[in-house]
Amino acid sequence: MMEKMTNANESRVSAKIPIWIQECMVFTACFLYFLFRVHPKLILEIQSPAFLMDINFFKEFLQIPGGLIDWLSAFFMQFWTSDLFIVIFLTLCCWFIAFLTRKWLEILTENRLIHTFHLIPAVLLAFLHSQYDFNLSIILAFIINLSFLNLIVRWTPKQAIIQIAVDIVALVLLFWITGGAFLICGVIFGFNELIVKKRYINGLFILVFSSLLPYVASSLVFLVTLKQAYLHNLISENSIKFWSIGYIILIFYLLVPLIVSLAKIDIVQKSSKKNSQFIRLKKLNVRWQCALGTLLIISGAFLLTEKTYNKNLCLNLEINQLTREGRWEDVLNTAKQCTNASPLLSCQINLALFQSGMLLDRIFSFPQLFGPFGLLMDFNWRSYSPVKTSDVYWKLGLINESLHWAHEALELKGPTPEILKRLGMAYMIKGDHAAAKRFFLNLKNVPFYKKNADDLIRLNDTPSKLAQDSDAKYIRSYMLSEDFIHLNTFSSVGLELLLKRNPNNKMAFEYLIAYYLLTGNLNGIVNYFPAFGFFKYSQIPRYVQEALLIIASYDSNFDQNQLNSLVQPITRQHFLNYQQILNKYKGNISGAKQELQTQFADTYWYYQMYVRPEARQSEKQNEFQ
Amino acid sequence: MSFNNYIQIASYWIILILIILLCVSCSTQKRVQDAKPVGRLPIIQPDYSGIVIPPNITPLNFFIQETGGEYIVRIHSKNGDPIQIENNSGLIQIPMKQWKRLISENLGQELIVDICLRNQTGQWISFNPIVNRISQEPIDGYLSFRRFKPLFNLWQKMGIFQRCLENYDERPILLNRLTQDNCMNCHNFWQNGTDKWLLHLRGGPGTSMLLVTDGKVRKINTKTKFNGHAAYPAWHPSGELIAFSVSKLLLFLHEVGECRDVLDRNSDIFLYDISSNTITTTPQISNPHRMEIWPAWSPDGKYLYFCSASELETYADSSRSGEVALDKIKYDLMRIAYDPLKHSWGNLETVISSSKIGLSITEPRVSPDGRFVLFTAANNSQFPIYIQSADLYVLDVRTNRWKKLELNSDKADSFHSWSSNGRWIVFSSKREDGLFTKPYFSHFDSSGNTTKPFVLPQEDPLLYETYLDIYNVPEFTKEPVHISPQDLATAAFSEQDALSAKFDSISVSEKTTNKTNSAEQIRVPLK
């Protein structure tokens, strides 16, 4: 008998080898998908959860069901410093889900060999990361629920009362730890008891208890809405792009016990025997079944990802990342591949152009569809990306405005290290050392930032040393000393004051000229013309030359000699060609557009006539000029 | 081994432990006695030195901000056993029971805190004793406040909380995650009780006043075709009327100094009659050529105090192309007589004019005995929390003299509340860092003098070092709020029990009704 058992074990192990190979192949594909297609570090551009090693921070998470998982998820994401690490982490998570699903299916099917089928949820979960809006907490909640499910289905005490007590404790614990995601375990387990094991009372009890627990908890214990109680960490709480895929995963787990129980019915068994003879699937051995299954899974996943791949989203997030890292050339190279447009994208491109010393020479070689809001965004876009907004204002020297948006970011994104650092530094530069210290002390509680925070605290505590710090001196020399008040709008006033404060502020100067170009305020450019000499430009930037030509074309008194000295002959010729085409269409701007676009799309003249937001508005109104 | 042997061994152990403890305490005693005095007060955080303490306050835990390897703290008074705490961290968390006993046995006495520490050279040093006084007058048991991060235009998380001042228990009254993340404010309690109270919700379908009376919460829409939603409220002592202001506030930004500022473009005061669900007013408190705000009733209900400034056009500066000179907007303190039986209004008086005091007066609150009016005054504006010059002043109604209180700091000190016995005040102060507002308490005696303020005590005395929330609109209550947050949230979205206030148009003039629309045309120097 022992020999029989040993032989049975050995044959089972050898039968599992194709399954292991299958899993290996699928998760290698998963790994490669994450690494080369998803670039999961871009997830941090959309979700960058705040995390502090602080007991008060931790206690806040305990106040909502599922908060523990949120905390854990935020903790893990602090280690997401490289693509490779994140890829390994996510692949392991997906593999673990597949493993737990297989173990559960083996119990359901009374120890049958499971292959292919158990990989579906894991592969779909991997796919959901393609839009970067899928929370890690959902995956972790899934894993914990599946783990609990596996534990409680394996243990069946003889006494029903003990079983029920254990079920209650497990479900309450799961709810507290994972939030609404506990319904995965509760409902599946209830179905399992009801349909598969035919323990009707137990099954019904679990289903009813699971469905009522969030309601009771939100009414009596936790201060959360009903929606949050039921849906937190479940796939559909916050809208994600492919929410339907999320539901498919849940339906998979609900349908499986149903299918298994149906398969046990005599009539179904007989008809499946007939069908399997017809399909001859059963004649294939496990190896071939696994191979076929692997092919189906990988090709299905491949098709799904190809159809849903959002290249622009990826590129936009990459640009966010590159901007944050100060890799300006890469920003511009990546931006060329984008086919979408947004004020945030324009803002980052323009910042990169400035940092690369090319703003006034190349600004219109990128679409400037948003006019001046492509330099500094409008309120809604600033609210969408408060950290980026704060960065731009910081670089300009509008410290209060940078502080304003850092505070908005603190409210919207939480105490992330970059926000804490920005707030601390802004208050420190302004001389509000007590306020600065509070932010630096919080920064000390962020993993890996202790040393940085200690250095900043030391600097903050010694104003004399701060006064000698080169970065502080630089910023203080640029920041405004003359107040101006405003209402969240972007105008030239701040930039003009910055230049008045410190004529060396080249960013303020170039942004001001760009602002005038984008708004068509050509007189403004004329007023600041001497500054080009001050900043020692080797030649007048291209688009300023083009603007001068427009000015000269309207002003017959414009000194032609001066114009000739400022504008390149090639630019003048280019302008003449532009005018010739316009003349050809006898001033019909709409008619001339197509021909002008082919040769002059990257000129200031074309921008003024067709791209500027006001021009596009009048074009829509069909004005004839 | 027999039972007797066990008893013998146990008793030997007990004696040994006692001897050790005795040696330790003797050693501690010797260390304290031999400590070298440094001749100054220790630096502790928060600063709980030289203050007057309510007899029912929770322990004032603190952190010793002096470098040392070991710390010994001894808290004692005239009667009762002293409290002794020793540790290596300097974090002093006073046991609740011992504190309560010591305080209760020493009402009216001094409370002395002796601190010794072992410094880096191994020597024990002692500081000058911290001397506080225990008042005989209790403070109200609870403090309600709104809590959120320093906000500009956007918000996500906020809530109204109640904190027991006799322990560290803090619970939410309402959280905005229950009400679709809207804004909530203006929690206000009738005579420091929680039988009748209200709060306002702003934004989304829950926008309303939640009014709690007789244990029930009702949703009241205070907006009528004549007035916008109610803002700053004030309960009439009868508990049947609520005065509130309606404003058009605009947040704007500075590029130097404090970022935020608020402009009141237009405001009036109205009365809400709870029993008839009616809103009324009178031209004297809703003058089309004035901005009226910050109502406050006298305790006999016969006077309504409020703040008033000329309409915005008055401040147009011709030298600035007609733009409003924001720094010139100053509010007077006014009062108007009211007959609560006849519901009629009397004469309007200027109590303190802004030109006389040279400042803008806001947030008047009358003491429970009616003798004093506590108010905030700043260089300009009606939103003093953003003005660093904001300080607390008190007016003696009997003599009509006012003075600046001693408890002020060089940062914004503003929104305040009286305890029900009129002997304690709480106010919002940014004195620590100019950014994070915290509630401070001070004793107020019958002569109008205040004592050194102290901050709301916390179980962890280092909490404020890293805490990123501010405490806003602190209000004393004698007991906790009894309505659950879930019931409040349910009421906020209940249309079934919602009431829309009716406007008594007889009391309204055309000019008043048109005023709410004219503010849009005001030119302000906002770029």
Side-chain angles (χ1 to χ4, degrees), chain B residues 302-421:
Chain B
K302 291 179 180 172
Y303 287 98
L304 177 68
Y305 286 81
F306 61 95
C307 301
S308 172
S310 296
E311 61 186 339
L312 214 55
E313 287 93 335
T314 319
Y315 303 100
D317 188 341
S318 54
S319 66
R320 298 186 207 179
S321 318
E323 289 173 348
V324 171
L326 296 163
D327 52 346
K328 292 194 167 31
I329 301 174
K330 292 188 194 330
Y331 285 74
D332 304 319
L333 179 62
M334 314 290 290
R335 76 173 187 181
I336 181 170
Y338 181 72
D339 186 337
L341 295 170
K342 293 178 188 170
H343 297 289
S344 62
W345 297 94
N347 295 328
L348 184 63
E349 313 165 40
T350 304
V351 180
I352 306 174
S353 78
S354 57
S355 54
K356 201 168 179 186
I357 194 173
L359 298 167
S360 179
I361 300 166
T362 54
E363 299 172 345
R365 286 280 187 104
V366 188
S367 62
D369 61 8
R371 181 169 163 198
F372 297 101
V373 179
L374 194 56
F375 60 90
T376 310
N379 290 342
N380 60 288
S381 171
Q382 46 67 53
F383 211 82
I385 198 62
Y386 292 153
I387 313 285
Q388 299 292 16
S389 64
D391 285 320
L392 296 186
Y393 286 71
V394 71
L395 165 75
D396 187 334
V397 174
R398 289 191 320 202
T399 62
N400 213 34
R401 287 185 173 185
W402 70 86
K403 66 171 182 179
K404 186 172 169 179
L405 291 175
E406 304 87 3
L407 48 70
N408 288 297
S409 67
D410 61 345
K411 301 279 194 293
D413 300 291
S414 70
F415 196 95
H416 43 81
S417 167
W418 291 94
S419 66
S420 55
N421 59 9

Side-chain angles (χ1 to χ4, degrees), chain A residues 519-587:
Chain A
T519 53
N521 181 354
L522 303 181
N523 287 333
I525 298 173
V526 169
N527 290 340
Y528 278 88
F529 208 75
F532 285 102
F534 178 81
F535 283 111
K536 294 185 172 56
Y537 284 83
S538 55
Q539 66 177 34
I540 300 298
R542 173 190 166 180
Y543 292 112
V544 178
Q545 290 183 43
E546 293 185 5
L548 285 175
L549 285 167
I550 295 178
I551 296 169
S553 71
Y554 285 129
D555 181 3
S556 51
N557 295 327
F558 200 97
D559 185 348
Q560 290 300 312
N561 289 332
Q562 191 186 25
L563 188 69
N564 292 339
S565 67
L566 295 170
V567 178
Q568 300 274 305
I570 192 168
T571 310
R572 257 187 292 123
Q573 186 55 50
H574 214 45
F575 186 56
L576 284 170
N577 295 341
Y578 187 91
Q579 284 180 316
Q580 271 170 12
I581 294 171
L582 265 182
N583 290 337
K584 192 169 81 176
Y585 286 89
K586 296 187 173 86

